[in-house]
Protein backbone atom coordinates (compact mmCIF):
# COMPACT_ATOMS: atom_id res chain seq x y z
CA UNK A 1 0.00 0.00 0.00
CA UNK A 2 1.22 3.47 -0.89
CA UNK A 3 -0.24 6.61 0.58
CA UNK A 4 -1.07 9.38 -1.90
CA UNK A 5 0.22 12.51 -0.18
CA UNK A 6 -2.08 15.32 -1.30
CA UNK A 7 -0.14 17.94 0.63
CA UNK A 8 3.08 17.07 -1.18
CA UNK A 9 1.48 16.98 -4.63
CA UNK A 10 -0.47 20.20 -3.98
CA UNK A 11 2.81 21.90 -2.94
CA UNK A 12 4.41 20.81 -6.22
CA UNK A 13 1.45 22.22 -8.20
CA UNK A 14 1.61 25.47 -6.21
CA UNK A 15 5.34 25.82 -6.83
CA UNK A 16 4.87 25.32 -10.57
CA UNK A 17 2.08 27.92 -10.62
CA UNK A 18 4.27 30.41 -8.71
CA UNK A 19 6.87 30.07 -11.46
CA UNK A 20 4.25 30.73 -14.16
CA UNK A 21 2.82 33.74 -12.30
CA UNK A 22 6.30 35.23 -11.74
CA UNK A 23 6.67 35.42 -15.54
CA UNK A 24 3.60 37.67 -15.79
CA UNK A 25 5.63 40.52 -14.22
CA UNK A 26 3.50 43.26 -12.74
CA UNK A 27 0.30 41.89 -14.26
CA UNK A 28 -1.16 39.49 -11.76
CA UNK A 29 -4.12 37.14 -12.04
CA UNK A 30 -6.94 38.11 -9.70
CA UNK A 31 -9.64 35.88 -8.23
CA UNK A 32 -12.72 37.26 -6.47
CA UNK A 33 -14.42 35.30 -3.71
CA UNK A 34 -18.04 35.89 -2.86
CA UNK A 35 -19.11 34.64 0.54
CA UNK A 36 -22.71 34.90 1.66
CA UNK A 37 -23.14 34.80 5.43
CA UNK A 38 -20.78 33.54 8.12
CA UNK A 39 -20.88 29.74 7.85
CA UNK A 40 -17.68 28.76 9.76
CA UNK A 41 -16.60 26.12 7.21
CA UNK A 42 -17.03 28.63 4.36
CA UNK A 43 -15.07 31.29 6.29
CA UNK A 44 -12.25 28.82 6.81
CA UNK A 45 -12.22 27.51 3.19
CA UNK A 46 -12.18 30.99 1.70
CA UNK A 47 -9.41 32.02 4.10
CA UNK A 48 -7.31 29.07 3.03
CA UNK A 49 -7.90 29.84 -0.65
CA UNK A 50 -6.89 33.49 -0.17
CA UNK A 51 -3.72 32.52 1.69
CA UNK A 52 -2.72 30.07 -1.02
CA UNK A 53 -3.41 32.68 -3.71
CA UNK A 54 -1.13 35.17 -1.93
CA UNK A 55 1.64 32.57 -1.74
CA UNK A 56 1.53 32.12 -5.52
CA UNK A 57 1.34 35.83 -6.29
CA UNK A 58 -2.32 35.68 -7.30
CA UNK A 59 -4.32 38.67 -6.13
CA UNK A 60 -7.63 38.04 -4.44
CA UNK A 61 -10.66 39.99 -3.37
CA UNK A 62 -13.30 39.02 -0.88
CA UNK A 63 -16.87 40.22 -1.06
CA UNK A 64 -18.86 39.32 2.06
CA UNK A 65 -22.61 39.65 1.66
CA UNK A 66 -25.37 39.24 4.24
CA UNK A 67 -27.25 35.94 4.58
CA UNK A 68 -30.47 37.89 3.89
CA UNK A 69 -29.35 39.04 0.43
CA UNK A 70 -31.89 38.45 -2.34
CA UNK A 71 -31.09 36.35 -5.39
CA UNK A 72 -31.42 39.46 -7.53
CA UNK A 73 -28.95 41.47 -5.43
CA UNK A 74 -26.48 38.59 -5.41
CA UNK A 75 -26.78 38.38 -9.21
CA UNK A 76 -26.04 42.11 -9.46
CA UNK A 77 -22.85 41.59 -7.44
CA UNK A 78 -21.80 38.68 -9.65
CA UNK A 79 -22.49 40.80 -12.74
CA UNK A 80 -20.26 43.59 -11.48
CA UNK A 81 -17.45 41.08 -11.13
CA UNK A 82 -18.23 39.66 -14.58
CA UNK A 83 -17.80 43.18 -16.02
CA UNK A 84 -14.66 44.03 -14.05
CA UNK A 85 -11.63 43.67 -16.37
CA UNK A 86 -9.30 43.37 -13.38
CA UNK A 87 -11.00 40.19 -12.13
CA UNK A 88 -10.09 36.98 -13.98
CA UNK A 89 -11.74 34.38 -11.78
CA UNK A 90 -14.92 34.36 -9.68
CA UNK A 91 -15.83 31.88 -6.97
CA UNK A 92 -19.18 32.05 -5.20
CA UNK A 93 -18.68 29.91 -2.12
CA UNK A 94 -21.30 27.21 -1.54
CA UNK A 95 -23.53 26.51 0.32
CA UNK A 96 -25.77 29.48 -0.46
CA UNK A 97 -28.86 30.38 1.60
CA UNK A 98 -31.98 28.33 0.86
CA UNK A 99 -33.85 31.27 -0.68
CA UNK A 100 -31.16 31.56 -3.38
CA UNK A 101 -31.14 29.10 -6.30
CA UNK A 102 -27.47 28.19 -6.56
CA UNK A 103 -27.87 26.97 -10.15
CA UNK A 104 -29.05 30.43 -11.19
CA UNK A 105 -26.06 32.01 -9.47
CA UNK A 106 -23.48 29.57 -10.86
CA UNK A 107 -24.92 29.86 -14.38
CA UNK A 108 -24.60 33.65 -14.25
CA UNK A 109 -20.87 33.65 -13.56
CA UNK A 110 -19.19 34.47 -16.85
CA UNK A 111 -17.99 31.12 -18.31
CA UNK A 112 -14.55 32.68 -18.92
CA UNK A 113 -14.25 33.50 -15.20
CA UNK A 114 -15.92 30.36 -13.83
CA UNK A 115 -12.84 28.96 -12.07
CA UNK A 116 -15.11 26.66 -10.04
CA UNK A 117 -16.37 25.00 -13.23
CA UNK A 118 -19.90 24.90 -11.85
CA UNK A 119 -21.76 26.59 -14.67
CA UNK A 120 -23.66 24.86 -17.44
CA UNK A 121 -21.35 26.15 -20.17
CA UNK A 122 -18.26 24.66 -18.56
CA UNK A 123 -19.98 21.39 -17.69
CA UNK A 124 -21.12 21.15 -21.32
CA UNK A 125 -17.62 21.89 -22.61
CA UNK A 126 -16.27 19.21 -20.30
CA UNK A 127 -18.59 16.70 -22.01
CA UNK A 128 -17.32 17.95 -25.36
CA UNK A 129 -13.76 17.33 -24.15
CA UNK A 130 -12.89 20.99 -24.79
CA UNK A 131 -9.50 21.67 -23.21
CA UNK A 132 -10.43 25.33 -22.66
CA UNK A 133 -13.17 24.33 -20.20
CA UNK A 134 -12.74 24.82 -16.47
CA UNK A 135 -13.19 21.51 -14.68
CA UNK A 136 -14.43 21.80 -11.13
CA UNK A 137 -11.56 21.81 -8.67
CA UNK A 138 -12.06 18.64 -6.63
CA UNK A 139 -12.45 16.31 -9.66
CA UNK A 140 -9.54 18.08 -11.37
CA UNK A 141 -7.51 17.48 -8.19
CA UNK A 142 -8.37 13.76 -8.23
CA UNK A 143 -7.19 13.50 -11.84
CA UNK A 144 -3.96 15.34 -10.98
CA UNK A 145 -3.24 12.91 -8.13
CA UNK A 146 -3.84 9.95 -10.44
CA UNK A 147 -1.61 11.50 -13.12
CA UNK A 148 1.28 12.38 -10.84
CA UNK A 149 1.28 8.96 -9.17
CA UNK A 150 1.34 7.29 -12.61
CA UNK A 151 -1.82 5.30 -11.89
CA UNK A 152 -3.11 3.68 -15.08
CA UNK A 153 -6.73 4.41 -16.01
CA UNK A 154 -6.82 3.34 -19.67
CA UNK A 155 -9.09 0.33 -20.02
CA UNK A 156 -9.49 0.23 -16.24
CA UNK A 157 -12.74 0.24 -14.34
CA UNK A 158 -13.39 3.41 -12.36
CA UNK A 159 -16.32 3.23 -9.95
CA UNK A 160 -17.60 6.57 -8.66
CA UNK A 161 -19.69 6.49 -5.50
CA UNK A 162 -21.77 9.69 -5.62
CA UNK A 163 -23.42 11.69 -8.39
CA UNK A 164 -23.09 15.31 -7.24
CA UNK A 165 -22.63 18.05 -9.78
CA UNK A 166 -19.54 19.28 -7.94
CA UNK A 167 -17.63 16.01 -7.53
CA UNK A 168 -19.15 12.70 -8.65
CA UNK A 169 -20.50 13.54 -12.10
CA UNK A 170 -17.51 15.54 -13.35
CA UNK A 171 -14.99 13.09 -11.83
CA UNK A 172 -16.44 10.27 -13.93
CA UNK A 173 -16.62 12.53 -16.97
CA UNK A 174 -12.94 13.47 -16.70
CA UNK A 175 -11.80 9.86 -16.47
CA UNK A 176 -14.03 8.88 -19.39
CA UNK A 177 -12.28 11.38 -21.68
CA UNK A 178 -9.94 10.29 -24.43
CA UNK A 179 -6.61 11.09 -22.81
CA UNK A 180 -4.25 10.24 -20.04
CA UNK A 181 -5.55 9.98 -17.37
CA UNK A 182 -8.75 8.91 -19.04
CA UNK A 183 -10.05 6.15 -21.31
CA UNK A 184 -11.57 4.41 -18.29
CA UNK A 185 -14.77 2.41 -18.14
CA UNK A 186 -16.86 4.36 -15.65
CA UNK A 187 -19.66 3.18 -13.38
CA UNK A 188 -21.63 5.58 -11.19
CA UNK A 189 -23.23 4.35 -7.97
CA UNK A 190 -25.43 6.34 -5.60
CA UNK A 191 -27.92 6.05 -2.77
CA UNK A 192 -30.44 4.22 -4.98
CA UNK A 193 -27.98 1.66 -6.34
CA UNK A 194 -28.93 -1.83 -5.12
CA UNK A 195 -26.09 -4.17 -4.06
CA UNK A 196 -23.57 -1.37 -4.37
CA UNK A 197 -20.82 -3.68 -3.13
CA UNK A 198 -21.12 -5.80 -6.31
CA UNK A 199 -20.03 -2.71 -8.26
CA UNK A 200 -17.39 -1.36 -5.89
CA UNK A 201 -15.70 -4.77 -5.86
CA UNK A 202 -15.13 -4.44 -9.62
CA UNK A 203 -13.24 -1.16 -9.26
CA UNK A 204 -9.61 -0.74 -10.23
CA UNK A 205 -10.05 2.85 -9.05
CA UNK A 206 -12.75 3.56 -6.47
CA UNK A 207 -13.75 7.19 -5.90
CA UNK A 208 -15.80 7.70 -2.73
CA UNK A 209 -17.78 10.96 -2.78
CA UNK A 210 -20.99 10.22 -0.94
CA UNK A 211 -20.57 12.23 2.27
CA UNK A 212 -21.13 9.31 4.64
CA UNK A 213 -18.44 8.75 7.28
CA UNK A 214 -16.44 5.54 6.82
CA UNK A 215 -19.06 4.13 4.43
CA UNK A 216 -16.57 2.11 2.37
CA UNK A 217 -15.49 -0.97 4.33
CA UNK A 218 -12.84 -3.56 3.47
CA UNK A 219 -15.36 -6.05 2.09
CA UNK A 220 -16.28 -3.49 -0.62
CA UNK A 221 -12.77 -3.09 -2.05
CA UNK A 222 -10.90 -5.39 -4.39
CA UNK A 223 -7.33 -6.23 -3.30
CA UNK A 224 -4.86 -3.98 -5.14
CA UNK A 225 -7.40 -1.27 -6.00
CA UNK A 226 -6.68 2.47 -5.83
CA UNK A 227 -9.02 4.25 -3.43
CA UNK A 228 -9.65 8.00 -3.63
CA UNK A 229 -11.52 9.33 -0.61
CA UNK A 230 -13.28 12.64 -1.19
CA UNK A 231 -15.24 12.68 2.09
CA UNK A 232 -14.68 15.21 4.85
CA UNK A 233 -16.92 14.23 7.77
CA UNK A 234 -16.79 15.27 11.41
CA UNK A 235 -17.33 12.50 13.93
CA UNK A 236 -17.38 12.90 17.72
CA UNK A 237 -14.03 12.14 19.40
CA UNK A 238 -13.66 12.83 23.12
CA UNK A 239 -9.87 12.51 22.94
CA UNK A 240 -9.71 15.70 20.82
CA UNK A 241 -9.84 19.20 22.25
CA UNK A 242 -12.35 20.19 19.59
CA UNK A 243 -14.52 17.18 20.49
CA UNK A 244 -14.43 15.83 16.94
CA UNK A 245 -12.13 14.45 14.30
CA UNK A 246 -12.25 14.37 10.53
CA UNK A 247 -12.81 11.12 8.70
CA UNK A 248 -13.40 10.34 5.06
CA UNK A 249 -16.04 8.25 3.31
CA UNK A 250 -13.66 5.29 3.63
CA UNK A 251 -12.85 3.26 6.73
CA UNK A 252 -9.15 4.02 6.24
CA UNK A 253 -7.64 1.73 8.89
CA UNK A 254 -9.39 -1.35 7.57
CA UNK A 255 -9.34 -0.56 3.85
CA UNK A 256 -5.80 0.83 3.42
CA UNK A 257 -3.92 -2.51 3.80
CA UNK A 258 -5.89 -3.98 0.87
CA UNK A 259 -5.12 -1.19 -1.59
CA UNK A 260 -2.29 -0.31 -3.99
CA UNK A 261 -2.80 3.42 -3.45
CA UNK A 262 -5.07 5.33 -1.07
CA UNK A 263 -5.62 8.97 -0.14
CA UNK A 264 -5.78 9.87 3.55
CA UNK A 265 -8.30 12.27 5.14
CA UNK A 266 -7.18 14.90 5.86
CA UNK A 267 -4.19 15.43 3.56
CA UNK A 268 -5.40 13.66 0.41
CA UNK A 269 -7.90 15.23 -1.99
CA UNK A 270 -8.56 18.35 0.18
CA UNK A 271 -5.32 20.22 -0.52
CA UNK A 272 -5.66 19.43 -4.23
CA UNK A 273 -9.02 21.25 -4.45
CA UNK A 274 -7.32 24.49 -3.43
CA UNK A 275 -4.32 23.89 -5.72
CA UNK A 276 -6.57 23.26 -8.74
CA UNK A 277 -8.57 26.42 -8.03
CA UNK A 278 -5.29 28.28 -8.33
CA UNK A 279 -4.46 26.40 -11.54
CA UNK A 280 -7.87 27.38 -12.97
CA UNK A 281 -7.28 31.02 -12.00
CA UNK A 282 -3.92 31.09 -13.78
CA UNK A 283 -5.58 29.42 -16.80
CA UNK A 284 -8.38 32.04 -16.76
CA UNK A 285 -5.77 34.80 -16.69
CA UNK A 286 -3.80 33.24 -19.56
CA UNK A 287 -6.95 32.80 -21.66
CA UNK A 288 -7.95 36.42 -20.86
CA UNK A 289 -4.50 37.69 -21.88
CA UNK A 290 -4.28 35.65 -25.09
CA UNK A 291 -7.83 34.88 -26.18
CA UNK A 292 -8.45 32.34 -28.89
N1 LIG B 1 -18.06 24.69 -1.01
C1 LIG B 1 -17.38 23.55 -0.72
N2 LIG B 1 -16.48 23.30 -1.70
C2 LIG B 1 -16.61 24.28 -2.62
C3 LIG B 1 -15.95 24.56 -3.84
O1 LIG B 1 -15.06 23.86 -4.33
N3 LIG B 1 -16.37 25.70 -4.48
C4 LIG B 1 -17.34 26.48 -3.99
N4 LIG B 1 -17.69 27.56 -4.69
N5 LIG B 1 -17.98 26.24 -2.87
C5 LIG B 1 -17.61 25.14 -2.19
Amino acid sequence: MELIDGNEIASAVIEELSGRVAKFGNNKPCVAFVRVGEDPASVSYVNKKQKTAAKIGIESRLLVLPESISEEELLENVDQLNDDPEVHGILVQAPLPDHVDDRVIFNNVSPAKDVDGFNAANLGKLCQEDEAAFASCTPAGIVELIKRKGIETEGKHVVVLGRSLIVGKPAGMLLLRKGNPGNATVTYCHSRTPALRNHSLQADVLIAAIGRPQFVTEDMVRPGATVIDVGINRIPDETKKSGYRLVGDVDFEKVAPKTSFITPVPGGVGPMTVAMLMANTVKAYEQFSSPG
Side-chain angles (χ1 to χ4, degrees):
M1 182 274 287
E2 190 179 332
L3 207 60
I4 302 177
D5 186 341
N7 284 316
E8 186 184 303
I9 296 174
S11 294
V13 171
I14 285 165
E15 202 163 306
E16 288 161 24
L17 291 171
S18 303
R20 259 161 79 191
V21 170
K23 294 204 183 98
F24 301 153
N26 289 331
N27 302 316
K28 298 294 182 206
C30 175
V31 55
F33 297 100
V34 180
R35 200 188 78 215
V36 179
E38 299 297 327
D39 171 54
S42 292
V43 171
S44 144
Y45 286 144
V46 171
N47 244 328
K48 172 81 187 147
K49 289 168 186 173
Q50 285 200 282
K51 277 198 184 132
T52 308
K55 217 156 93 183
I56 298 172
I58 294 173
E59 284 175 6
S60 71
R61 290 191 201 169
L62 172 60
L63 191 59
V64 179
L65 300 168
E67 184 88 24
S68 59
I69 194 164
S70 69
E71 189 173 289
E72 201 183 339
E73 282 173 299
L74 181 52
L75 280 174
E76 278 167 20
N77 279 281
V78 168
D79 257 342
Q80 273 180 18
L81 295 170
N82 283 338
D83 292 340
D84 188 333
E86 288 175 8
V87 170
H88 309 103
I90 301 170
L91 182 145
V92 182
Q93 184 68 25
L96 292 170
D98 289 344
H99 63 270
V100 172
D101 183 341
D102 50 10
R103 268 197 312 206
V104 170
I105 304 300
F106 295 146
N107 283 342
N108 276 280
V109 172
S110 159
K113 298 188 179 187
D114 175 33
V115 287
D116 245 343
F118 289 174
N119 79 31
N122 277 306
L123 284 161
K125 282 184 187 171
L126 196 66
C127 288
Q128 291 180 328
E129 306 198 15
D130 181 341
E131 289 297 322
F134 294 105
S136 60
C137 304
T138 300
I142 293 170
V143 171
E144 200 65 25
L145 290 176
I146 288 173
K147 185 165 143 191
R148 291 189 188 231
K149 292 306 272 187
I151 296 163
E152 185 63 74
T153 58
E154 177 150 348
K156 302 291 182 189
H157 194 172
V158 172
V159 176
V160 183
L161 307 183
R163 53 178 162 179
S164 73
L165 204 55
I166 294 179
V167 184
K169 278 202 196 96
M173 201 64 73
L174 285 170
L175 291 165
L176 192 62
R177 286 189 306 189
K178 300 173 198 78
N180 183 23
N183 287 324
T185 302
V186 178
T187 299
Y188 288 99
C189 299
H190 47 80
S191 54
R192 303 293 173 94
T193 304
L196 187 142
R197 180 172 165 272
N198 290 346
H199 301 285
S200 66
L201 273 172
Q202 306 294 320
D204 298 301
V205 178
L206 182 63
I207 300 176
I210 36 183
R212 289 217 239 156
Q214 299 170 314
F215 176 84
V216 176
T217 45
E218 71 270 33
D219 58 314
M220 296 168 68
V221 177
R222 174 157 114 185
T226 290
V227 174
I228 308 286
D229 188 352
V230 188
I232 304 178
N233 310 290
R234 283 181 177 193
I235 59 165
D237 184 341
E238 284 171 11
T239 68
K240 303 279 177 198
K241 215 164 89 182
S242 57
Y244 69 85
R245 71 188 160 100
L246 291 181
V247 297
D249 289 352
V250 176
D251 186 346
F252 183 88
E253 296 301 324
K254 301 258 175 60
V255 170
K258 281 190 90 170
T259 62
S260 294
F261 293 94
I262 187 166
T263 60
V265 175
V269 174
M272 291 305 293
T273 298
V274 181
M276 299 320 286
L277 171 68
M278 301 302 141
N280 277 352
T281 302
V282 172
K283 178 172 163 174
Y285 174 80
E286 287 173 341
Q287 290 180 358
F288 168 82
S289 306
S290 346

